[in-house]
Amino acid sequence: MAARELNLPLANARLAFGQHLAGERRLSPKTVEAYGRDLDQFAAFLGAHLGHTISLDDLAALKATDFRAFMASRRRDGLSARSLARSLSAIRTFYSYAERRWGVENAALTLIEAPKQGRSKPKPVSESGARALIDEAGRSRGSDWIEARDVAVLSLLYGCGLRISEALALTGRDRDLPESIQITGKGGKTRLVPILPVVREAVAHYAALCPFELPAEQALFRGVRGGALGARAVQKRMEDLRARLGLGPTATPHALRHSFATHLLAHGGDLRAIQELLGHASLSTTQIYADVETSRLMAIYDGAHPRARQR
């Protein structure tokens, strides 16, 4: 039985792995798709590298040089260090699953290190810029309900630190928001998010003007034709707004979430509390906002302090 299972084609094992990720681990469809894409690229490389269709038996026999050859190949294809690290993580996760299910073991994989990657700093919008974006969204000279919708969505991103997907996941039952709401974020992690009065008012104003029915189980935010509002529509709206205001390309919807964290920190917010509000699993992820604020303060110091100007 073991030998027969080790002869299982990698394509079949990859399908079972995808079902495991979606069913047992309950990962999002996009995450499952990303894992599958990374494994497909690995399988395609191995097929050309070894000259035959890959089975689990081949995975157990790979040497460290084979893994390094794959990494080098992906690097030549232009893959960034971050993407390469993600690809390696997907392979490790698959091997862990294959070992539990089929007894596939390969110690060579433990010898492979993920590439070093620089940690990019978030690029928040300034406080005045964030306010201007929301104000401008309400002066778009379009339909009143669409203006109200855009103000409500941007208010949730900046006022509550939500991701676009989290804001667009709200349903008709959320039209009258309470003082706090439970949000389910990445990896199914839930957090309690306070809702500012101005944000509650913006959402209620939109719901009152929206020309479509908003059933409890269906999307709260709607597109022009009544379907669920998509993330791309919000991104395009931000592109339009930042062009009107003369803001740079870093003024994206996600930048408003960065702004939420950075501005809270600048006004004395506790880093641990901000971690909880953002739904970060690790404080080290939130720490980067402190680094951004420190860099900003140092720039102000260098530009304003008399001794700095003397240099």
PDB file of all heavy atoms in Angstrom, residues 78-113:
ATOM      1  N   GLY A  78      12.544  36.207 -12.390  1.00  0.00           N
ATOM      2  CA  GLY A  78      12.204  37.537 -11.896  1.00  0.00           C
ATOM      3  C   GLY A  78      11.396  37.559 -10.615  1.00  0.00           C
ATOM      4  O   GLY A  78      10.881  38.615 -10.227  1.00  0.00           O
ATOM      5  N   LEU A  79      11.271  36.409  -9.946  1.00  0.00           N
ATOM      6  CA  LEU A  79      10.494  36.357  -8.718  1.00  0.00           C
ATOM      7  C   LEU A  79      11.202  37.141  -7.611  1.00  0.00           C
ATOM      8  O   LEU A  79      12.419  37.020  -7.443  1.00  0.00           O
ATOM      9  CB  LEU A  79      10.304  34.900  -8.278  1.00  0.00           C
ATOM     10  CG  LEU A  79       8.996  34.549  -7.553  1.00  0.00           C
ATOM     11  CD1 LEU A  79       7.809  34.766  -8.472  1.00  0.00           C
ATOM     12  CD2 LEU A  79       9.028  33.122  -7.057  1.00  0.00           C
ATOM     13  N   SER A  80      10.458  37.948  -6.884  1.00  0.00           N
ATOM     14  CA  SER A  80      11.032  38.721  -5.787  1.00  0.00           C
ATOM     15  C   SER A  80      11.355  37.812  -4.612  1.00  0.00           C
ATOM     16  O   SER A  80      10.877  36.668  -4.533  1.00  0.00           O
ATOM     17  CB  SER A  80      10.049  39.799  -5.328  1.00  0.00           C
ATOM     18  OG  SER A  80       8.910  39.200  -4.714  1.00  0.00           O
ATOM     19  N   ALA A  81      12.170  38.320  -3.693  1.00  0.00           N
ATOM     20  CA  ALA A  81      12.528  37.545  -2.507  1.00  0.00           C
ATOM     21  C   ALA A  81      11.289  37.188  -1.701  1.00  0.00           C
ATOM     22  O   ALA A  81      11.165  36.076  -1.180  1.00  0.00           O
ATOM     23  CB  ALA A  81      13.522  38.333  -1.651  1.00  0.00           C
ATOM     24  N   ARG A  82      10.350  38.131  -1.605  1.00  0.00           N
ATOM     25  CA  ARG A  82       9.113  37.871  -0.852  1.00  0.00           C
ATOM     26  C   ARG A  82       8.306  36.749  -1.486  1.00  0.00           C
ATOM     27  O   ARG A  82       7.816  35.847  -0.801  1.00  0.00           O
ATOM     28  CB  ARG A  82       8.283  39.143  -0.771  1.00  0.00           C
ATOM     29  CG  ARG A  82       6.984  39.003   0.030  1.00  0.00           C
ATOM     30  CD  ARG A  82       6.228  40.321   0.056  1.00  0.00           C
ATOM     31  NE  ARG A  82       6.982  41.346   0.731  1.00  0.00           N
ATOM     32  CZ  ARG A  82       6.953  41.541   2.041  1.00  0.00           C
ATOM     33  NH1 ARG A  82       6.212  40.763   2.805  1.00  0.00           N
ATOM     34  NH2 ARG A  82       7.655  42.497   2.589  1.00  0.00           N
ATOM     35  N   SER A  83       8.157  36.800  -2.815  1.00  0.00           N
ATOM     36  CA  SER A  83       7.383  35.771  -3.514  1.00  0.00           C
ATOM     37  C   SER A  83       8.090  34.424  -3.456  1.00  0.00           C
ATOM     38  O   SER A  83       7.446  33.379  -3.345  1.00  0.00           O
ATOM     39  CB  SER A  83       7.157  36.174  -4.975  1.00  0.00           C
ATOM     40  OG  SER A  83       6.376  37.347  -5.051  1.00  0.00           O
ATOM     41  N   LEU A  84       9.411  34.449  -3.525  1.00  0.00           N
ATOM     42  CA  LEU A  84      10.184  33.211  -3.456  1.00  0.00           C
ATOM     43  C   LEU A  84      10.041  32.572  -2.072  1.00  0.00           C
ATOM     44  O   LEU A  84       9.909  31.346  -1.949  1.00  0.00           O
ATOM     45  CB  LEU A  84      11.653  33.502  -3.757  1.00  0.00           C
ATOM     46  CG  LEU A  84      12.526  32.337  -4.203  1.00  0.00           C
ATOM     47  CD1 LEU A  84      11.918  31.635  -5.415  1.00  0.00           C
ATOM     48  CD2 LEU A  84      13.931  32.829  -4.545  1.00  0.00           C
ATOM     49  N   ALA A  85      10.044  33.404  -1.035  1.00  0.00           N
ATOM     50  CA  ALA A  85       9.858  32.891   0.325  1.00  0.00           C
ATOM     51  C   ALA A  85       8.470  32.290   0.490  1.00  0.00           C
ATOM     52  O   ALA A  85       8.300  31.249   1.136  1.00  0.00           O
ATOM     53  CB  ALA A  85      10.074  34.018   1.335  1.00  0.00           C
ATOM     54  N   ARG A  86       7.482  32.920  -0.116  1.00  0.00           N
ATOM     55  CA  ARG A  86       6.123  32.390  -0.049  1.00  0.00           C
ATOM     56  C   ARG A  86       6.020  31.056  -0.770  1.00  0.00           C
ATOM     57  O   ARG A  86       5.372  30.114  -0.302  1.00  0.00           O
ATOM     58  CB  ARG A  86       5.144  33.386  -0.675  1.00  0.00           C
ATOM     59  CG  ARG A  86       3.669  33.023  -0.530  1.00  0.00           C
ATOM     60  CD  ARG A  86       2.831  33.607  -1.645  1.00  0.00           C
ATOM     61  NE  ARG A  86       3.217  33.056  -2.933  1.00  0.00           N
ATOM     62  CZ  ARG A  86       3.203  33.753  -4.063  1.00  0.00           C
ATOM     63  NH1 ARG A  86       2.869  35.022  -4.069  1.00  0.00           N
ATOM     64  NH2 ARG A  86       3.542  33.174  -5.207  1.00  0.00           N
ATOM     65  N   SER A  87       6.695  30.950  -1.921  1.00  0.00           N
ATOM     66  CA  SER A  87       6.687  29.712  -2.681  1.00  0.00           C
ATOM     67  C   SER A  87       7.324  28.584  -1.878  1.00  0.00           C
ATOM     68  O   SER A  87       6.803  27.459  -1.825  1.00  0.00           O
ATOM     69  CB  SER A  87       7.427  29.913  -4.002  1.00  0.00           C
ATOM     70  OG  SER A  87       7.409  28.741  -4.786  1.00  0.00           O
ATOM     71  N   LEU A  88       8.443  28.882  -1.225  1.00  0.00           N
ATOM     72  CA  LEU A  88       9.112  27.877  -0.401  1.00  0.00           C
ATOM     73  C   LEU A  88       8.234  27.472   0.780  1.00  0.00           C
ATOM     74  O   LEU A  88       8.174  26.297   1.151  1.00  0.00           O
ATOM     75  CB  LEU A  88      10.448  28.418   0.098  1.00  0.00           C
ATOM     76  CG  LEU A  88      11.297  27.472   0.957  1.00  0.00           C
ATOM     77  CD1 LEU A  88      11.639  26.200   0.190  1.00  0.00           C
ATOM     78  CD2 LEU A  88      12.579  28.172   1.413  1.00  0.00           C
ATOM     79  N   SER A  89       7.531  28.432   1.349  1.00  0.00           N
ATOM     80  CA  SER A  89       6.620  28.139   2.460  1.00  0.00           C
ATOM     81  C   SER A  89       5.506  27.200   2.010  1.00  0.00           C
ATOM     82  O   SER A  89       5.116  26.273   2.739  1.00  0.00           O
ATOM     83  CB  SER A  89       6.024  29.438   2.997  1.00  0.00           C
ATOM     84  OG  SER A  89       5.073  29.183   4.008  1.00  0.00           O
ATOM     85  N   ALA A  90       4.988  27.408   0.793  1.00  0.00           N
ATOM     86  CA  ALA A  90       3.938  26.533   0.263  1.00  0.00           C
ATOM     87  C   ALA A  90       4.464  25.110   0.092  1.00  0.00           C
ATOM     88  O   ALA A  90       3.769  24.134   0.401  1.00  0.00           O
ATOM     89  CB  ALA A  90       3.427  27.079  -1.074  1.00  0.00           C
ATOM     90  N   ILE A  91       5.690  24.986  -0.390  1.00  0.00           N
ATOM     91  CA  ILE A  91       6.292  23.661  -0.578  1.00  0.00           C
ATOM     92  C   ILE A  91       6.488  22.968   0.769  1.00  0.00           C
ATOM     93  O   ILE A  91       6.193  21.776   0.926  1.00  0.00           O
ATOM     94  CB  ILE A  91       7.632  23.786  -1.335  1.00  0.00           C
ATOM     95  CG1 ILE A  91       7.379  24.264  -2.773  1.00  0.00           C
ATOM     96  CG2 ILE A  91       8.380  22.451  -1.346  1.00  0.00           C
ATOM     97  CD1 ILE A  91       8.636  24.671  -3.512  1.00  0.00           C
ATOM     98  N   ARG A  92       6.967  23.708   1.756  1.00  0.00           N
ATOM     99  CA  ARG A  92       7.144  23.128   3.090  1.00  0.00           C
ATOM    100  C   ARG A  92       5.804  22.661   3.665  1.00  0.00           C
ATOM    101  O   ARG A  92       5.714  21.577   4.266  1.00  0.00           O
ATOM    102  CB  ARG A  92       7.764  24.167   4.033  1.00  0.00           C
ATOM    103  CG  ARG A  92       9.197  24.528   3.741  1.00  0.00           C
ATOM    104  CD  ARG A  92       9.744  25.355   4.914  1.00  0.00           C
ATOM    105  NE  ARG A  92      10.954  26.079   4.569  1.00  0.00           N
ATOM    106  CZ  ARG A  92      12.165  25.546   4.546  1.00  0.00           C
ATOM    107  NH1 ARG A  92      12.325  24.264   4.810  1.00  0.00           N
ATOM    108  NH2 ARG A  92      13.223  26.285   4.245  1.00  0.00           N
ATOM    109  N   THR A  93       4.782  23.459   3.497  1.00  0.00           N
ATOM    110  CA  THR A  93       3.453  23.102   4.014  1.00  0.00           C
ATOM    111  C   THR A  93       2.936  21.846   3.337  1.00  0.00           C
ATOM    112  O   THR A  93       2.355  20.963   3.978  1.00  0.00           O
ATOM    113  CB  THR A  93       2.464  24.265   3.798  1.00  0.00           C
ATOM    114  OG1 THR A  93       2.981  25.445   4.423  1.00  0.00           O
ATOM    115  CG2 THR A  93       1.094  23.947   4.394  1.00  0.00           C
ATOM    116  N   PHE A  94       3.162  21.743   2.023  1.00  0.00           N
ATOM    117  CA  PHE A  94       2.732  20.548   1.303  1.00  0.00           C
ATOM    118  C   PHE A  94       3.495  19.315   1.788  1.00  0.00           C
ATOM    119  O   PHE A  94       2.906  18.244   1.994  1.00  0.00           O
ATOM    120  CB  PHE A  94       2.934  20.721  -0.201  1.00  0.00           C
ATOM    121  CG  PHE A  94       2.652  19.464  -0.971  1.00  0.00           C
ATOM    122  CD1 PHE A  94       1.352  19.038  -1.169  1.00  0.00           C
ATOM    123  CD2 PHE A  94       3.693  18.691  -1.471  1.00  0.00           C
ATOM    124  CE1 PHE A  94       1.080  17.856  -1.865  1.00  0.00           C
ATOM    125  CE2 PHE A  94       3.433  17.517  -2.164  1.00  0.00           C
ATOM    126  CZ  PHE A  94       2.125  17.106  -2.352  1.00  0.00           C
ATOM    127  N   TYR A  95       4.804  19.440   1.973  1.00  0.00           N
ATOM    128  CA  TYR A  95       5.600  18.311   2.449  1.00  0.00           C
ATOM    129  C   TYR A  95       5.135  17.855   3.832  1.00  0.00           C
ATOM    130  O   TYR A  95       5.096  16.654   4.125  1.00  0.00           O
ATOM    131  CB  TYR A  95       7.085  18.683   2.492  1.00  0.00           C
ATOM    132  CG  TYR A  95       7.862  18.243   1.271  1.00  0.00           C
ATOM    133  CD1 TYR A  95       7.989  19.080   0.170  1.00  0.00           C
ATOM    134  CD2 TYR A  95       8.464  16.984   1.215  1.00  0.00           C
ATOM    135  CE1 TYR A  95       8.710  18.691  -0.956  1.00  0.00           C
ATOM    136  CE2 TYR A  95       9.175  16.582   0.100  1.00  0.00           C
ATOM    137  CZ  TYR A  95       9.298  17.441  -0.993  1.00  0.00           C
ATOM    138  OH  TYR A  95      10.004  17.027  -2.102  1.00  0.00           O
ATOM    139  N   SER A  96       4.797  18.808   4.677  1.00  0.00           N
ATOM    140  CA  SER A  96       4.309  18.467   6.012  1.00  0.00           C
ATOM    141  C   SER A  96       3.017  17.662   5.923  1.00  0.00           C
ATOM    142  O   SER A  96       2.835  16.657   6.630  1.00  0.00           O
ATOM    143  CB  SER A  96       4.082  19.755   6.819  1.00  0.00           C
ATOM    144  OG  SER A  96       3.578  19.460   8.097  1.00  0.00           O
ATOM    145  N   TYR A  97       2.141  18.085   5.017  1.00  0.00           N
ATOM    146  CA  TYR A  97       0.880  17.360   4.802  1.00  0.00           C
ATOM    147  C   TYR A  97       1.158  15.974   4.212  1.00  0.00           C
ATOM    148  O   TYR A  97       0.577  14.966   4.648  1.00  0.00           O
ATOM    149  CB  TYR A  97      -0.016  18.170   3.875  1.00  0.00           C
ATOM    150  CG  TYR A  97      -1.236  17.435   3.372  1.00  0.00           C
ATOM    151  CD1 TYR A  97      -2.336  17.207   4.206  1.00  0.00           C
ATOM    152  CD2 TYR A  97      -1.280  16.959   2.064  1.00  0.00           C
ATOM    153  CE1 TYR A  97      -3.456  16.534   3.736  1.00  0.00           C
ATOM    154  CE2 TYR A  97      -2.400  16.282   1.589  1.00  0.00           C
ATOM    155  CZ  TYR A  97      -3.472  16.070   2.430  1.00  0.00           C
ATOM    156  OH  TYR A  97      -4.579  15.393   1.974  1.00  0.00           O
ATOM    157  N   ALA A  98       2.071  15.912   3.235  1.00  0.00           N
ATOM    158  CA  ALA A  98       2.376  14.637   2.567  1.00  0.00           C
ATOM    159  C   ALA A  98       3.017  13.648   3.538  1.00  0.00           C
ATOM    160  O   ALA A  98       2.801  12.428   3.439  1.00  0.00           O
ATOM    161  CB  ALA A  98       3.306  14.880   1.375  1.00  0.00           C
ATOM    162  N   GLU A  99       3.784  14.163   4.490  1.00  0.00           N
ATOM    163  CA  GLU A  99       4.391  13.269   5.476  1.00  0.00           C
ATOM    164  C   GLU A  99       3.325  12.662   6.394  1.00  0.00           C
ATOM    165  O   GLU A  99       3.362  11.459   6.696  1.00  0.00           O
ATOM    166  CB  GLU A  99       5.413  14.036   6.317  1.00  0.00           C
ATOM    167  CG  GLU A  99       6.121  13.156   7.342  1.00  0.00           C
ATOM    168  CD  GLU A  99       7.188  13.890   8.112  1.00  0.00           C
ATOM    169  OE1 GLU A  99       7.436  15.087   7.811  1.00  0.00           O
ATOM    170  OE2 GLU A  99       7.787  13.282   9.028  1.00  0.00           O
ATOM    171  N   ARG A 100       2.365  13.488   6.804  1.00  0.00           N
ATOM    172  CA  ARG A 100       1.294  12.979   7.678  1.00  0.00           C
ATOM    173  C   ARG A 100       0.394  11.993   6.942  1.00  0.00           C
ATOM    174  O   ARG A 100      -0.012  10.982   7.502  1.00  0.00           O
ATOM    175  CB  ARG A 100       0.446  14.138   8.209  1.00  0.00           C
ATOM    176  CG  ARG A 100       1.182  15.053   9.169  1.00  0.00           C
ATOM    177  CD  ARG A 100       0.198  15.964   9.905  1.00  0.00           C
ATOM    178  NE  ARG A 100      -0.691  16.684   9.007  1.00  0.00           N
ATOM    179  CZ  ARG A 100      -0.393  17.860   8.472  1.00  0.00           C
ATOM    180  NH1 ARG A 100       0.772  18.442   8.730  1.00  0.00           N
ATOM    181  NH2 ARG A 100      -1.250  18.472   7.665  1.00  0.00           N
ATOM    182  N   ARG A 101       0.098  12.274   5.694  1.00  0.00           N
ATOM    183  CA  ARG A 101      -0.873  11.438   4.982  1.00  0.00           C
ATOM    184  C   ARG A 101      -0.248  10.238   4.287  1.00  0.00           C
ATOM    185  O   ARG A 101      -0.824   9.145   4.304  1.00  0.00           O
ATOM    186  CB  ARG A 101      -1.634  12.289   3.959  1.00  0.00           C
ATOM    187  CG  ARG A 101      -2.610  11.479   3.143  1.00  0.00           C
ATOM    188  CD  ARG A 101      -3.694  12.282   2.518  1.00  0.00           C
ATOM    189  NE  ARG A 101      -4.609  11.419   1.783  1.00  0.00           N
ATOM    190  CZ  ARG A 101      -5.672  11.864   1.113  1.00  0.00           C
ATOM    191  NH1 ARG A 101      -5.944  13.157   1.104  1.00  0.00           N
ATOM    192  NH2 ARG A 101      -6.437  11.023   0.467  1.00  0.00           N
ATOM    193  N   TRP A 102       0.928  10.439   3.674  1.00  0.00           N
ATOM    194  CA  TRP A 102       1.501   9.354   2.865  1.00  0.00           C
ATOM    195  C   TRP A 102       2.874   8.898   3.354  1.00  0.00           C
ATOM    196  O   TRP A 102       3.497   8.043   2.742  1.00  0.00           O
ATOM    197  CB  TRP A 102       1.611   9.796   1.401  1.00  0.00           C
ATOM    198  CG  TRP A 102       0.276  10.077   0.762  1.00  0.00           C
ATOM    199  CD1 TRP A 102      -0.710   9.183   0.484  1.00  0.00           C
ATOM    200  CD2 TRP A 102      -0.200  11.358   0.316  1.00  0.00           C
ATOM    201  NE1 TRP A 102      -1.780   9.818  -0.106  1.00  0.00           N
ATOM    202  CE2 TRP A 102      -1.500  11.157  -0.228  1.00  0.00           C
ATOM    203  CE3 TRP A 102       0.328  12.643   0.315  1.00  0.00           C
ATOM    204  CZ2 TRP A 102      -2.256  12.194  -0.750  1.00  0.00           C
ATOM    205  CZ3 TRP A 102      -0.428  13.681  -0.202  1.00  0.00           C
ATOM    206  CH2 TRP A 102      -1.699  13.454  -0.723  1.00  0.00           C
ATOM    207  N   GLY A 103       3.365   9.479   4.420  1.00  0.00           N
ATOM    208  CA  GLY A 103       4.667   9.084   4.938  1.00  0.00           C
ATOM    209  C   GLY A 103       5.835   9.568   4.117  1.00  0.00           C
ATOM    210  O   GLY A 103       6.931   9.003   4.189  1.00  0.00           O
ATOM    211  N   VAL A 104       5.637  10.639   3.320  1.00  0.00           N
ATOM    212  CA  VAL A 104       6.714  11.187   2.500  1.00  0.00           C
ATOM    213  C   VAL A 104       7.645  12.002   3.397  1.00  0.00           C
ATOM    214  O   VAL A 104       7.218  12.952   4.056  1.00  0.00           O
ATOM    215  CB  VAL A 104       6.161  12.091   1.378  1.00  0.00           C
ATOM    216  CG1 VAL A 104       7.309  12.746   0.614  1.00  0.00           C
ATOM    217  CG2 VAL A 104       5.289  11.276   0.444  1.00  0.00           C
ATOM    218  N   GLU A 105       8.922  11.648   3.421  1.00  0.00           N
ATOM    219  CA  GLU A 105       9.894  12.368   4.226  1.00  0.00           C
ATOM    220  C   GLU A 105      11.054  12.823   3.339  1.00  0.00           C
ATOM    221  O   GLU A 105      11.455  12.108   2.427  1.00  0.00           O
ATOM    222  CB  GLU A 105      10.440  11.481   5.354  1.00  0.00           C
ATOM    223  CG  GLU A 105       9.378  11.060   6.366  1.00  0.00           C
ATOM    224  CD  GLU A 105       9.972  10.231   7.498  1.00  0.00           C
ATOM    225  OE1 GLU A 105      11.222  10.220   7.635  1.00  0.00           O
ATOM    226  OE2 GLU A 105       9.207   9.591   8.231  1.00  0.00           O
ATOM    227  N   ASN A 106      11.555  14.020   3.630  1.00  0.00           N
ATOM    228  CA  ASN A 106      12.718  14.503   2.892  1.00  0.00           C
ATOM    229  C   ASN A 106      13.455  15.513   3.771  1.00  0.00           C
ATOM    230  O   ASN A 106      13.063  16.668   3.879  1.00  0.00           O
ATOM    231  CB  ASN A 106      12.305  15.159   1.572  1.00  0.00           C
ATOM    232  CG  ASN A 106      13.499  15.399   0.668  1.00  0.00           C
ATOM    233  OD1 ASN A 106      14.546  15.827   1.122  1.00  0.00           O
ATOM    234  ND2 ASN A 106      13.344  15.113  -0.615  1.00  0.00           N
ATOM    235  N   ALA A 107      14.533  15.051   4.387  1.00  0.00           N
ATOM    236  CA  ALA A 107      15.310  15.903   5.284  1.00  0.00           C
ATOM    237  C   ALA A 107      16.044  17.001   4.533  1.00  0.00           C
ATOM    238  O   ALA A 107      16.429  18.014   5.129  1.00  0.00           O
ATOM    239  CB  ALA A 107      16.302  15.049   6.063  1.00  0.00           C
ATOM    240  N   ALA A 108      16.222  16.837   3.226  1.00  0.00           N
ATOM    241  CA  ALA A 108      16.972  17.838   2.451  1.00  0.00           C
ATOM    242  C   ALA A 108      16.282  19.193   2.469  1.00  0.00           C
ATOM    243  O   ALA A 108      16.942  20.242   2.399  1.00  0.00           O
ATOM    244  CB  ALA A 108      17.157  17.354   1.014  1.00  0.00           C
ATOM    245  N   LEU A 109      14.973  19.185   2.574  1.00  0.00           N
ATOM    246  CA  LEU A 109      14.225  20.446   2.553  1.00  0.00           C
ATOM    247  C   LEU A 109      14.579  21.330   3.747  1.00  0.00           C
ATOM    248  O   LEU A 109      14.521  22.557   3.662  1.00  0.00           O
ATOM    249  CB  LEU A 109      12.720  20.167   2.524  1.00  0.00           C
ATOM    250  CG  LEU A 109      11.789  21.368   2.373  1.00  0.00           C
ATOM    251  CD1 LEU A 109      12.131  22.166   1.118  1.00  0.00           C
ATOM    252  CD2 LEU A 109      10.327  20.909   2.313  1.00  0.00           C
ATOM    253  N   THR A 110      14.960  20.704   4.863  1.00  0.00           N
ATOM    254  CA  THR A 110      15.311  21.482   6.056  1.00  0.00           C
ATOM    255  C   THR A 110      16.619  22.242   5.865  1.00  0.00           C
ATOM    256  O   THR A 110      16.922  23.157   6.630  1.00  0.00           O
ATOM    257  CB  THR A 110      15.444  20.559   7.286  1.00  0.00           C
ATOM    258  OG1 THR A 110      16.520  19.640   7.068  1.00  0.00           O
ATOM    259  CG2 THR A 110      14.164  19.781   7.520  1.00  0.00           C
ATOM    260  N   LEU A 111      17.384  21.890   4.837  1.00  0.00           N
ATOM    261  CA  LEU A 111      18.653  22.564   4.581  1.00  0.00           C
ATOM    262  C   LEU A 111      18.480  23.834   3.751  1.00  0.00           C
ATOM    263  O   LEU A 111      19.437  24.596   3.580  1.00  0.00           O
ATOM    264  CB  LEU A 111      19.615  21.616   3.842  1.00  0.00           C
ATOM    265  CG  LEU A 111      19.924  20.281   4.536  1.00  0.00           C
ATOM    266  CD1 LEU A 111      20.805  19.425   3.632  1.00  0.00           C
ATOM    267  CD2 LEU A 111      20.608  20.527   5.878  1.00  0.00           C
ATOM    268  N   ILE A 112      17.278  24.045   3.247  1.00  0.00           N
ATOM    269  CA  ILE A 112      17.021  25.176   2.358  1.00  0.00           C
ATOM    270  C   ILE A 112      16.528  26.371   3.168  1.00  0.00           C
ATOM    271  O   ILE A 112      15.537  26.274   3.895  1.00  0.00           O
ATOM    272  CB  ILE A 112      15.984  24.810   1.277  1.00  0.00           C
ATOM    273  CG1 ILE A 112      16.388  23.515   0.565  1.00  0.00           C
ATOM    274  CG2 ILE A 112      15.830  25.960   0.289  1.00  0.00           C
ATOM    275  CD1 ILE A 112      17.743  23.579  -0.088  1.00  0.00           C
ATOM    276  N   GLU A 113      17.221  27.481   3.044  1.00  0.00           N
ATOM    277  CA  GLU A 113      16.839  28.697   3.755  1.00  0.00           C
ATOM    278  C   GLU A 113      16.055  29.621   2.830  1.00  0.00           C
ATOM    279  O   GLU A 113      16.343  29.717   1.635  1.00  0.00           O
ATOM    280  CB  GLU A 113      18.075  29.426   4.282  1.00  0.00           C
ATOM    281  CG  GLU A 113      18.849  28.656   5.344  1.00  0.00           C
ATOM    282  CD  GLU A 113      20.014  29.464   5.882  1.00  0.00           C
ATOM    283  OE1 GLU A 113      20.222  30.602   5.403  1.00  0.00           O
ATOM    284  OE2 GLU A 113      20.719  28.958   6.774  1.00  0.00           O
TER     285      GLU A 113
END
